[in-house]
Amino acid sequence: MFKHKSSAFAALLLGVSATAVSAQVLEPTTPPQAPNFDAQGEPIFVKRSDIYDYRALDSYNEPDFVQAFVDSGALPPVEERLPNEPLVYNVANMPDGAGEYGDVMRHVIGGRPEGWNFWGGQSQGWGGIDIGLTECLTRTGPLFTVEPSDLEPMPNLAKSWEWSDDGMTLTVHLIEGAKWSDGDPFDTEDIAFYWDDVIMDSELTPLMGASQATYNGATLDIVDDYTFTMSFDTAFPEAVLYAMAYGNFCPGPSHVLKPEHPKYGGESYESFRNAFPPETLGFPVMGAWAVVEYRSDDIVVLRRNPYYWKVDSEGNQLPYLNEMHYRLSTWADRDVQAVAGTGDFSNLEQAENYVESLRRAAEADSPARLAFGPRTIGYSALPNLSANGWGDPDDRAQAIRDLNRDINFRKAISYALDRQRLGESLVKGPFTTIYPGGIYAGTSFYDADSTVYYPYSVETAKHFLEEAGLVDTDGNGFVNHPADVLGGADVQMTLLAQSDYQTDKNLAEGFVAIMEEAGLKVTLNLLPGKDYDDARYAGRYDWYVYRNTAEMITVVQQTTQLAPVGPTTALQHRANDAGEMDLLPWEQELVDVVNAFIASRDPAERVELMKRYQKLHTENLYSVGLTAYPGALIINKRFANIPAGAPIFMYNWAEDNIMRERVYVPTDAQQDYELHPNTLPSSDGPVTAG
Ligand code: BQZ
């Protein structure tokens, strides 16, 4: 029901666009006002400490079936399984109050688990699996509901931190007494392994690519079981606290990882990466649920972690939900199943599915709630800006990189883009808006006057192709290289895109069709998620279609991804095998501005620096924006404690934002969806008490 016929789709684009050719060379401008689209539901802004803090309570509760494990001696009492001062969610901040134990959240995802070794770079299939399994030092998802005056990362496994007077050292205090889901203590042994044997080991890159540059080149020292310091060469790099949240500083269970690491007797790095395949059950986690079942291409089932280190302020150990399902399907199917009620959750992010999803959700008997948030889903086309060998280009690819480094070529690409039509080809209506690239409109650091927009004009596009030395010398409708480049052959550009999402494919096909109209030959390279990620990280592409992440929304997250501040930080320009960067002058200016932003503690100065960044980024087309639109959260109506105005993506994805560990189903609405009732995770899979 959501399929696009690519030829019809391209014809739509070409047909309409062909009649819209302008007759003169257009000047750059500022972007048009986005069509009005009021997000449904606004967050209730609170302080971080209103949501949760850390303290000892007089007594604790647990589900009856878990009590049976204590009674049989299989588990210590709950008091001994919790930290001295657990993380306490304040019931007063819960939209529907303290929860009741039971039921399941049934996710549907388009990814596939490679294994549980996040630290070896393995993907767990996305869609909330890794967000739930690997908890991190700080947390950012719930920040959408935190008042601006209190906006900084929330504590999580790191309970508190303080800066030295000179701002060069950060001292971090871990929660004390927390345990992994197999009972092993969580402490600085895990921090030391993450830092010394993953981050600082050049043979390893954890999932989502954290490196020492992610933490501003820090050095790390262990102080005691629950304290460590990070030292910097610039004062108060406060952004590092965001780089300690999901995707970056999420320590692994060193007691099971270490023996597999080559430094400690493991066979090889390859064997380390593959040491915990998806069939490994009960892999130790700090998350609320641990893996009890994996069926390839079918489902991953998780059961509650009996050592989970969070409670509600009435003393109930969290989570309330006993089980999590991740049905291994497609991202489009996630929307279909959520609105149909056979799934419980979806981030409605593929605009092609909006109309049908809205229609179904509007029906009186609809099993799911659908709520749109702000326009935080945006796509860009990124040029490979390296000309010194990153990604090992052949002659054809090298010729494109040389063109990519010519502003005239990048301007031609931007002027050729009919962004209005591209967005409307995904979904008609007030959803999509023209997106020039850079920081998103409507976000804290956005400044329209600093945003340069090269508007749609085929005539102007052709003018700049000529300025780049490209003309159609053989009359076949496609521009040629100059005679001394590849013998004056047609320019052949490839566009890498992810094949797991219809939206990515449609945008990529639209881009190819539009470039053809301007006389530029582009061929598609569609790859599934992991292969797409591997190709773009390795620089094996000319251009690629990319769904932007947090740095274009909040700026304070993944800030080092905004420019090539390190050899492997930028999305579209990394170092070659010799570690050399061939930055263009304006790229060096981007680097200087981003580094100044990271080092600044002056809010007014930071605003000005981001205006400078936005001007540099959009004027030089560091990325070529395509379209932006709002996402919608689809959640089954039986769930309680879903925070008002939860965006599908802002500081993180909704799987983090809604705080699933405090979501529950009221007893009278609970369904018997549990596949392994009354069980707990173990290395042998789901086990019952006694
Ligand atoms: C959300 C998300 C939770 C990764 C992934 C996937 C990977 C990317 C990105 C999104 C999926 C869902 O996004 O599309 O709605 O559930 O998982 O992690 O696109 O291919 O590498 O960055 O988050």
Side-chain angles (χ1 to χ4, degrees):
M1 92 173 139
F2 298 127
K3 291 302 289 177
H4 247 284
K5 296 281 178 288
S6 56
S7 51
F9 165 76
L12 164 76
L13 277 175
L14 280 174
V16 173
S17 316
T19 57
V21 166
S22 57
Q24 83 271 356
V25 174
L26 293 191
E27 289 303 313
T29 175
T30 53
Q33 184 70 29
N36 185 40
F37 185 87
D38 295 328
Q40 299 165 9
E42 284 298 316
I44 299 165
F45 289 107
V46 294
K47 290 197 177 313
R48 289 172 296 148
S49 56
D50 292 331
I51 302 172
Y52 59 72
D53 54 18
Y54 299 75
R55 62 185 189 275
L57 301 180
D58 296 338
S59 63
Y60 299 103
N61 317 308
E62 62 194 331
D64 293 342
F65 84 88
V66 179
Q67 178 66 51
F69 282 80
V70 177
D71 297 344
S72 70
L75 274 181
V78 63
E79 294 72 22
E80 294 171 25
R81 304 200 311 268
L82 287 168
N84 318 334
E85 294 187 332
L87 186 152
V88 180
Y89 272 102
N90 295 316
V91 166
N93 178 257
M94 294 184 184
D96 302 299
E100 294 145 72
Y101 289 125
D103 215 326
V104 186
M105 185 173 278
R106 300 166 299 162
H107 295 267
V108 176
I109 68 173
R112 293 294 182 271
E114 295 177 288
W116 310 118
N117 197 346
F118 182 103
W119 306 273
Q122 288 193 318
S123 161
Q124 285 72 53
W126 309 103
I129 290 189
D130 52 313
I131 290 176
L133 293 173
T134 45
E135 297 229 13
C136 314
L137 292 183
T138 61
R139 187 169 188 179
T140 54
L143 289 179
F144 76 94
T145 185
V146 169
E147 56 192 46
S149 65
D150 189 36
L151 198 55
E152 74 169 85
M154 302 176 77
N156 198 44
L157 286 171
K159 178 177 169 182
S160 64
W161 51 82
E162 66 270 353
W163 293 94
S164 58
D165 291 345
D166 65 1
M168 309 297 269
T169 303
L170 178 68
T171 300
V172 180
H173 305 282
L174 299 178
I175 188 168
E176 297 191 19
K179 296 179 176 65
W180 292 92
S181 54
D182 62 355
D184 187 86
F186 168 74
D187 54 29
T188 46
E189 262 191 52
D190 302 307
I191 302 297
F193 180 79
Y194 176 77
W195 188 264
D196 299 336
D197 304 319
V198 176
I199 292 299
M200 298 307 286
D201 186 326
S202 59
E203 292 293 328
L204 291 175
T205 303
L207 186 69
M208 301 175 77
S211 68
Q212 191 182 16
T214 311
Y215 308 99
N216 301 88
T219 55
L220 187 143
D221 295 289
I222 302 299
V223 174
D224 61 34
D225 284 353
Y226 298 110
T227 313
F228 67 91
T229 61
M230 295 176 85
S231 302
F232 306 90
D233 53 19
T234 56
F236 296 108
E238 290 170 329
V240 76
L241 295 168
Y242 286 96
M244 290 156 69
Y246 165 71
N248 294 312
F249 214 128
C250 316
S254 58
H255 62 293
V256 297
L257 293 170
K258 226 171 186 175
E260 302 294 340
H261 191 295
K263 191 172 155 187
Y264 303 98
E267 185 188 317
S268 69
Y269 283 106
E270 199 50 33
S271 67
F272 171 74
R273 286 187 192 93
N274 300 311
F276 306 97
E279 294 78 9
T280 311
L281 304 179
F283 182 78
V285 297
M286 294 304 288
W289 303 272
V291 179
V292 296
E293 182 179 32
Y294 165 73
R295 294 203 298 263
S296 174
D297 262 345
D298 180 2
I299 193 169
V300 179
V301 183
L302 287 70
R303 291 285 299 172
R304 64 180 304 109
N305 165 6
Y307 288 90
Y308 197 48
W309 39 286
K310 302 181 186 179
V311 301
D312 71 20
S313 49
E314 292 180 5
N316 301 308
Q317 186 187 26
L318 299 175
Y320 297 123
L321 296 171
N322 284 330
E323 196 167 283
M324 294 290 245
H325 296 172
Y326 292 91
R327 185 71 66 190
L328 305 178
S329 177
T330 66
W331 297 114
D333 190 37
R334 176 171 74 167
D335 300 338
V336 173
Q337 294 213 42
V339 292
T342 50
D344 288 327
F345 174 101
S346 185
N347 294 323
L348 182 63
E349 61 199 351
Q350 298 193 78
E352 299 85 346
N353 302 345
Y354 281 20
V355 173
E356 182 62 19
S357 298
L358 277 163
R359 185 193 65 74
R360 183 68 185 89
E363 291 168 357
D365 65 346
S366 163
R369 273 193 304 268
L370 185 154
F372 275 97
R375 278 196 183 92
T376 56
I377 304 296
Y379 281 86
S380 302
L382 303 181
N384 188 325
L385 291 171
S386 160
N388 70 351
W390 177 49
D392 193 19
D394 59 18
D395 292 347
R396 180 209 61 80
Q398 186 61 43
I400 297 296
R401 291 156 185 240
D402 293 338
L403 281 171
N404 287 351
R405 291 165 67 90
D406 177 346
I407 182 65
N408 292 305
F409 185 68
R410 298 194 307 276
K411 282 182 180 178
I413 299 279
S414 188
Y415 275 113
L417 278 168
D418 184 348
R419 293 173 172 87
Q420 183 68 32
R421 296 295 166 205
L422 200 53
E424 289 176 357
S425 69
L426 302 180
V427 62
K428 294 219 177 306
F431 302 102
T432 63
T433 185
I434 284 173
Y435 167 54
I439 300 166
Y440 285 174
T443 60
S444 314
F445 287 100
Y446 176 76
D447 177 59
D449 293 338
S450 308
T451 306
V452 176
Y453 168 51
Y454 297 98
Y456 172 54
S457 160
V458 177
E459 204 63 28
T460 309
K462 292 186 173 183
H463 165 76
F464 282 104
L465 284 174
E466 201 162 335
E467 290 292 295
L470 306 179
V471 288
D472 176 13
T473 49
D474 56 10
N476 69 348
F478 292 108
V479 292
N480 297 70
H481 287 290
D484 62 345
V485 176
L486 300 174
D490 279 351
V491 174
Q492 284 271 10
M493 188 173 117
T494 63
L495 179 71
L496 168 68
Q498 185 168 188
S499 60
D500 297 350
Y501 296 86
Q502 194 58 48
T503 304
D504 296 49
K505 287 193 288 190
N506 285 340
L507 287 173
E509 285 165 0
F511 184 98
V512 170
I514 283 174
M515 289 307 138
E516 188 172 322
E517 176 192 326
L520 183 62
K521 188 180 285 186
V522 180
T523 49
L524 263 191
N525 177 19
L526 290 174
L527 294 178
K530 181 66 176 166
D531 299 337
Y532 162 85
D533 283 343
D534 290 349
R536 67 190 180 89
Y537 286 140
R540 295 194 303 270
Y541 65 89
D542 293 353
W543 286 69
Y544 73 98
V545 171
Y546 179 65
R547 185 177 70 188
N548 293 302
T549 46
E551 70 277 6
M552 288 307 166
I553 300 169
T554 67
V555 171
V556 293
Q557 289 170 281
Q558 297 162 195
T559 311
T560 55
Q561 203 158 280
L562 287 169
V565 297
T568 61
T569 60
L571 291 166
Q572 61 273 61
H573 197 168
R574 297 191 172 191
N576 62 13
D577 292 344
E580 297 149 347
M581 293 289 286
D582 55 345
L583 298 185
L584 294 158
W586 54 269
E587 286 187 280
Q588 186 53 57
E589 286 188 71
L590 278 176
V591 168
D592 298 343
V593 164
V594 170
N595 282 333
F597 177 84
I598 290 172
S600 169
R601 303 185 79 201
D602 173 350
E605 179 187 38
R606 283 157 69 93
V607 167
E608 289 311 308
L609 284 164
M610 276 303 120
K611 285 180 181 176
R612 177 99 189 93
Y613 175 84
Q614 182 75 339
K615 185 87 161 46
L616 281 166
H617 183 129
T618 54
E619 190 166 56
N620 291 289
L621 292 165
Y622 185 50
S623 72
V624 176
L626 300 176
T627 187
Y629 54 85
L633 185 58
I634 307 176
I635 295 249
N636 190 281
K637 287 174 178 171
R638 74 181 191 284
F639 290 100
N641 275 353
I642 304 300
I648 69 164
F649 187 78
M650 187 169 286
Y651 291 89
N652 199 359
W653 289 104
E655 292 91 333
D656 187 14
N657 305 347
I658 65 170
M659 297 170 272
R660 289 178 294 176
E661 61 268 30
R662 67 168 211 182
V663 169
Y664 74 96
V665 180
T667 308
D668 58 7
Q670 290 188 11
Q671 305 295 311
D672 60 347
Y673 293 140
E674 288 185 58
L675 296 173
H676 300 284
N678 303 317
T679 67
L680 288 175
S682 82
S683 52
D684 300 322
V687 290
T688 51

